[in-house]
Amino acid sequence: MGFENLDTLYYFILFFVAVFAGFIDAIVGGGGLITIPALMACGIPAHLALATNKLQSVFGSFAATLSYFKSTTLPYLAWGIFFTALGAAIGTYSVLFIKDEHLKIIILLFLSLTFLYTALRPNLGKEESEPKIKNIKIFHLIFGLTLGFYDGFLGPGTGSFWIFACVMFLGFNMKKASVNTKILNFTSNVVALIIFLWQYEILWAVGLLMGVGQLLGAFLGSKLVLKTKGNFIKNLFLLVVGATIIKVAWDYFA
């Protein structure tokens, strides 16, 4: 493709970008908001950047999943993994045929409502609450398909959406939501990567180097969550969602 021979400086920059993105993604999601613009800023075309981003993000989501493994309830997540994988496969394949302009305005609206609802409810996510959706299969059918589809189709902010969905509809606190959603994020990343490997070329040198950075960042981020009460997660969540809103709005209206 010709992009394998990036200037050495770009490799250094992308590595440290991936470390930071992995750290943020392990806590509240939104790592793609950082890495995709960075890849495109290096002159890499959008679809190639998206495909390469999935390669490096698999490393980060795997590291976070591994760190949180003992704190998750795998039988509870089984349906989520299935429906998320299905949604991600459909979403990634749909990228070949669907323009994302209309989807972006929907995502922008959804993000804005999520931000406002979270910001205006100071106690949201501090303690566990009564779930609004008590049937776990229904929850994972709805959000596994939709968020899996979104992660395959576009990606940035998926982890944040998962956290919000678990807090809002399952009554989780922010820390429990962050811990239990990483394996679902990893699932959609892996499925999307498989589809991209089938359909697109990937910049292996860039993706693997950033993957190492993701591993380091995700390890540090997940350890921070497990060693603290997670009180900072909500503020970081609002910061990342707010930044995502600005980024999506800029892409749509600029």
Side-chain angles (χ1 to χ4, degrees):
M1 294 292 297
F3 287 98
E4 290 288 0
N5 297 317
L6 288 171
D7 289 343
T8 303
L9 178 61
Y10 286 135
Y11 285 99
F12 278 105
I13 292 172
L14 289 173
F15 173 78
F16 287 108
V17 164
V19 173
F20 180 62
F23 179 83
I24 295 297
D25 204 58
I27 301 172
V28 293
L33 170 70
I34 301 165
T35 54
I36 291 176
L39 286 163
M40 294 179 68
C42 294
I44 299 171
H47 283 107
L48 193 57
L50 197 62
T52 303
N53 182 68
K54 283 303 174 190
L55 173 60
Q56 62 92 33
S57 64
V58 162
F59 285 81
S61 56
F62 175 73
T65 298
L66 202 61
S67 297
Y68 293 148
F69 187 78
K70 293 181 181 180
S71 300
T72 59
T73 308
L74 293 182
Y76 147 79
L77 292 171
W79 282 105
I81 292 170
F82 172 76
F83 287 120
T84 300
L86 179 60
I90 297 170
T92 309
Y93 191 72
S94 296
V95 158
L96 298 174
F97 309 104
I98 302 174
K99 294 182 179 181
D100 65 4
E101 285 83 359
H102 299 300
L103 181 63
K104 282 184 178 179
I105 194 64
I106 296 173
I107 298 305
L108 180 59
L109 177 63
F110 187 26
L111 276 170
S112 299
L113 291 174
T114 299
F115 181 88
L116 289 172
Y117 187 88
T118 305
L120 294 174
R121 294 194 62 183
N123 293 322
L124 184 68
K126 285 189 176 181
E127 304 290 342
E128 293 191 43
S129 59
E130 187 70 19
K132 293 180 176 61
I133 299 179
K134 295 185 178 181
N135 188 317
I136 204 67
K137 291 182 182 178
I138 296 298
F139 173 83
H140 281 137
L141 171 65
I142 296 170
F143 291 100
L145 288 176
T146 54
L147 295 181
F149 178 91
Y150 172 68
D151 197 23
F153 191 95
L154 213 57
T158 304
S160 301
F161 283 139
W162 267 121
I163 290 173
F164 179 79
C166 287
V167 170
M168 181 65 186
F169 296 102
L170 294 183
F172 287 3
N173 60 44
M174 283 283 185
K175 181 175 180 177
K176 184 176 180 180
S178 180
V179 168
N180 279 274
T181 55
K182 289 301 172 278
I183 193 169
L184 302 176
N185 219 166
F186 175 63
T187 298
S188 55
N189 279 334
V190 168
V191 172
L193 177 61
I194 292 171
I195 302 295
F196 277 128
L197 286 172
W198 172 41
Q199 293 291 337
Y200 299 111
E201 294 186 61
I202 287 178
L203 301 182
W204 288 98
V206 174
L208 292 175
L209 178 66
M210 292 182 74
V212 174
Q214 281 273 352
L215 282 173
L216 177 59
F219 176 79
L220 295 173
S222 56
K223 291 301 181 184
L224 180 62
V225 170
L226 292 175
K227 289 182 178 180
T228 65
K229 294 182 179 180
N231 294 331
F232 68 97
I233 295 178
K234 181 179 178 181
N235 290 332
L236 189 56
F237 174 84
L238 288 171
L239 179 64
V240 172
V241 172
T244 308
I245 291 171
I246 294 171
K247 177 63 172 61
V248 175
W250 178 266
D251 290 343
Y252 187 78
F253 293 110

